Amino acid sequence: MSIKPDPSCDDDYDASSLSYDDAIHRILDAVTPIADSEIVPVHDAYDRILATSIESSINVPGHVNSAVDGYAIAANCLPKDSTATLPVIGTAFAGKPFEGNFDGHGAVRIMTGAVVPEGADLVVMQEHAIRAQDDITFDNRTRPGDNVRAAGEDIKRGEQVLASGQHIGPAELGLIASLGIAQVAVKRQLKVAFISTGDELKGVGETLAAGEIYDSNRYTLYGMLKRLNTEIIDFGVIEDQPDAVREALQNAAAQADLIITSGGVSVGEADYIKEILQEIGEVRFWKVAMKPGRPLAFGKIGEATFFGLPGNPVSVMVTFYQFVRPALLKLMGANQSDFLTVRARAANTLKKRPGRMEFQRGFLTRDDDGELLVATEKDQGSGILSSMTRANCFIVLPIDSGRVETGEYVSVQPFHGVV
Ligand code: AMP
Ligand code: MG
């Protein structure tokens, strides 16, 4: 009788394992962005995904205006050398234009943002002019066009300013408002169900019996899903019992766009996820050549996308960020999904054997010359959740790489803005 290798966390080489790249491609190929959208007031569009492109119906700024406080004059009044003196014929404030006739002679006192009178083609900064009662005297250091902002210099009428799929953050929200747009079409929020499995799990506030632990995955998953602004459906803890798992999954599939379970995907006697998925949905169950994080179940139950994540707390976070997050972003119609990856020098040696891609927890700093330097967290065990709170990045070590020496370059994914 041959012994068939099953996914476990300890062996490094496994011919039946998928590479991380293969797994993520298969996942993204299987996910189609939702089509549903809704119209919301611009405020409520914050942290949502734009469902249409946005074109500007106006020039921004709408008028030629002054970039400084000073005096608007015509270029032909600039002195060739020495200085010139002109009478001040009126004032232009932001929102209150000069109302007289500018005939190309004289100077208009002008404030930042005020409309530059027609016929004027530059603004002399007030610091470069000497005011004496109704006249100003200035030298020739200002050039035609100086200190004048062209109409449409930020955005031209008809120009596309945001593409469909853009995540709406503070800058996008302000940009939309700068066009006077009061309502925006955004993608519907995704509904994500999560289920913790395990007879050993207790809720916070409960007392632990021997061998029991608190369900922490439910909280890390809650946080990770909140950050993506999804609607969360919390199924709590489901015991390791086929009927209970089946019922929870069927229930979740009826309500959610995506279902996440943690635990129960290895090959222990209480691991029912794979079996039940096969029964009620389509399963792809993989060993992924990565650490931490295998095994991983992926598939569909009805219309819902399914991820069965491992139970270990760090594995949950790593597989969420490396697989679930890109899938969710694609599903919600977002057009950006990648972690920013930077190169940093290793501050210490990194233990690694070829055969599996590793996502080690690290701490990114700069050395005295400003170069990025990354140190590993001492304990890389997949159950050491505290290491995720001390780390500020993943160190990504490719499948073939072995031990990394101090000073060598490695790829790093900073948590900033993501984790
Ligand atoms: P499993 O994949 O179910 O064999 O779980 C692997 C490890 O993760 C075990 O030590 C579990 O006790 C632990 N684990 C599973 N689910 C959770 C959870 N929701 N919170 C914290 N630890 C968990
Ligand atoms: Mg379990």
Side-chain angles (χ1 to χ4, degrees), residues 108-175:
V108 172
R109 172 85 176 111
I110 193 164
M111 313 305 161
T112 305
V115 176
V116 174
E118 211 171 305
D121 20 43
L122 61 100
V123 174
V124 177
M125 283 172 75
Q126 72 183 31
E127 292 83 348
H128 295 172
I130 296 161
R131 176 99 189 230
Q133 272 146 22
D134 294 338
D135 290 334
I136 54 153
T137 301
F138 51 94
D139 58 25
N140 62 355
R141 75 186 108 165
T142 313
R143 296 276 164 268
D146 277 4
N147 306 320
V148 168
R149 301 194 282 219
E153 99 178 348
D154 185 358
I155 297 161
K156 294 199 173 36
R157 184 184 293 126
E159 190 184 325
Q160 178 180 306
V161 292
L162 293 171
S164 176
Q166 173 73 42
H167 172 260
I168 302 173
E172 289 75 21
L173 203 63
L175 185 61

Side-chain angles (χ1 to χ4, degrees), residues 62 85 154 158 343 401:
T85 300
D154 185 358
R343 226 167 58 119
S401 103

Side-chain angles (χ1 to χ4, degrees), residues 335-354:
N335 54 16
Q336 297 141 314
S337 78
D338 285 343
F339 261 102
L340 169 72
T341 300
V342 297
R343 226 167 58 119
R345 277 186 197 278
N348 51 264
T349 56
L350 312 187
K351 275 193 255 165
K352 161 93 171 60
R353 279 182 296 183

Side-chain angles (χ1 to χ4, degrees), residues 195-202 211-221 237 240 262-268 270-271 295 309-313 315-316 382-383 385:
I195 300 170
S196 298
T197 71
D199 289 339
E200 73 281 29
L201 303 176
K202 277 275 155 65
E212 292 180 336
I213 58 169
Y214 289 115
D215 173 10
S216 61
N217 291 344
R218 186 171 172 189
Y219 292 86
T220 45
L221 280 167
V237 177
D240 290 320
S262 81
V265 285
S266 2
V267 289
D271 296 329
L309 305 185
N312 277 308
S315 306
V316 166
S382 60
L385 187 55

Side-chain angles (χ1 to χ4, degrees), residues 174-249:
L175 185 61
I176 292 168
S178 77
L179 305 178
I181 295 172
Q183 292 194 313
V184 190
V186 292
K187 294 283 189 178
R188 154 173 90 67
Q189 267 176 304
L190 291 184
K191 293 194 180 74
V192 182
F194 66 84
I195 300 170
S196 298
T197 71
D199 289 339
E200 73 281 29
L201 303 176
K202 277 275 155 65
V204 295
E206 294 185 280
T207 308
L208 297 183
E212 292 180 336
I213 58 169
Y214 289 115
D215 173 10
S216 61
N217 291 344
R218 186 171 172 189
Y219 292 86
T220 45
L221 280 167
Y222 171 84
M224 294 188 291
L225 289 168
K226 267 277 167 205
R227 281 220 152 180
L228 291 172
N229 198 12
T230 58
E231 269 178 46
I232 298 168
I233 312 169
D234 180 355
F235 276 76
V237 177
I238 304 294
E239 57 194 311
D240 290 320
Q241 209 256 69
D243 290 341
V245 173
R246 186 185 304 105
E247 193 189 324
L249 288 179

